[in-house]
Amino acid sequence: SYGWDPETFRLRPRDTQVTPKPIFLFAGSGCLRKGLPDLLEAWHRANIPGRLRIVGPIERPIAERYAHVLSRPDVEPLGYQRNLAQQYSEAHVFVLPSLEEGSPLVTYMALAAGIPSLVSIPGAGGIVRDDVEGLVRDPSQQSEFQDALVRLATDSDLRDRLGRAAARAAPQYTWQRVAQNRADVFASIAGKA
């Protein structure tokens, strides 16, 4: 697995409940593979009380096709941002409806920030469990994905429960912990030779 750096993301207690319009954060390349078209489609149809913040470049065909969504006042296409930790600290929900991933760093960062995730199975990266650290949904099932957006936007207790679980899971995935786990595996293999 990959990991996160405690020097970059300093875990602290979060209050995920006190906002009538939570910020949903998408971080990564705005491309088909990352599921941005599915997210924009779902956001447009869900009409939820919240804001969608997109951090990262958006491919031109997607920007053109979804200009009507990207220009809405509740959508913030920010482009490349240097300080991802700041973006995560302002967000209330992380969203990644990716079609394929290995071990997405942006999902580890969501755990580190102590915020719930709405992710596809690839976006979960094997570290976000459904209804534990977040909600895992198939973005091609638009109604289910929209329902999850609405639930996370309107149910502050759900956001709080999932965010706290994410923060509890995060220490398992620091780079130091991941490196130690890998070293232990290699030591175990070497001991059996």
Side-chain angles (χ1 to χ4, degrees):
S1 71
Y2 287 120
W4 64 278
D5 179 9
E7 291 301 312
T8 304
F9 286 87
R10 299 190 189 280
L11 277 172
R12 66 191 193 309
R14 293 183 54 103
D15 187 351
T16 55
Q17 296 190 34
V18 186
T19 181
K21 292 189 176 188
I23 296 171
F24 287 72
L25 175 67
F26 172 94
S29 296
C31 62
L32 182 63
R33 186 175 72 81
K34 297 287 184 179
L36 185 59
D38 291 320
L39 174 57
L40 293 173
E41 200 68 51
W43 188 266
H44 178 65
R45 291 183 178 160
N47 198 25
I48 62 172
R51 290 185 290 156
L52 174 59
R53 186 172 289 172
I54 302 167
V55 173
I58 299 173
E59 289 183 348
R60 187 184 328 199
I62 294 171
E64 291 171 356
R65 167 72 179 89
Y66 291 96
H68 65 289
V69 180
L70 293 167
S71 63
R72 287 174 36 163
D74 62 340
V75 177
E76 302 172 1
L78 301 180
Y80 175 79
Q81 299 288 305
R82 281 184 100 68
N83 191 346
L84 273 179
Q86 178 67 33
Q87 296 299 326
Y88 278 91
S89 73
E90 294 174 2
H92 301 94
V93 178
F94 170 71
V95 60
L96 183 63
S98 190
L99 304 177
E100 67 167 338
E101 290 291 338
S103 187
L105 285 171
V106 289
T107 303
Y108 290 91
M109 293 176 191
L111 292 180
I115 59 175
S117 296
L118 170 55
V119 290
S120 60
I121 291 172
I127 61 171
V128 171
R129 298 168 292 172
D130 186 40
D131 204 35
V132 180
E133 297 88 9
L135 300 179
V136 181
R137 298 290 183 273
D138 180 350
S140 70
Q141 302 297 315
Q142 277 288 310
S143 62
E144 290 179 18
F145 199 79
Q146 286 172 220
D147 288 347
L149 282 171
V150 171
R151 280 185 66 203
L152 287 166
T154 58
D155 189 341
S156 58
D157 290 335
L158 176 64
R159 286 195 313 269
D160 187 56
R161 176 175 63 81
L162 299 175
R164 289 180 192 277
R168 284 192 303 272
Q172 298 173 55
Y173 301 105
T174 63
W175 282 115
Q176 183 176 357
R177 179 78 180 265
V178 168
Q180 185 59 57
N181 290 345
R182 180 115 355 123
D184 292 346
V185 168
F186 287 133
S188 172
I189 293 169
K192 292 179 181 177

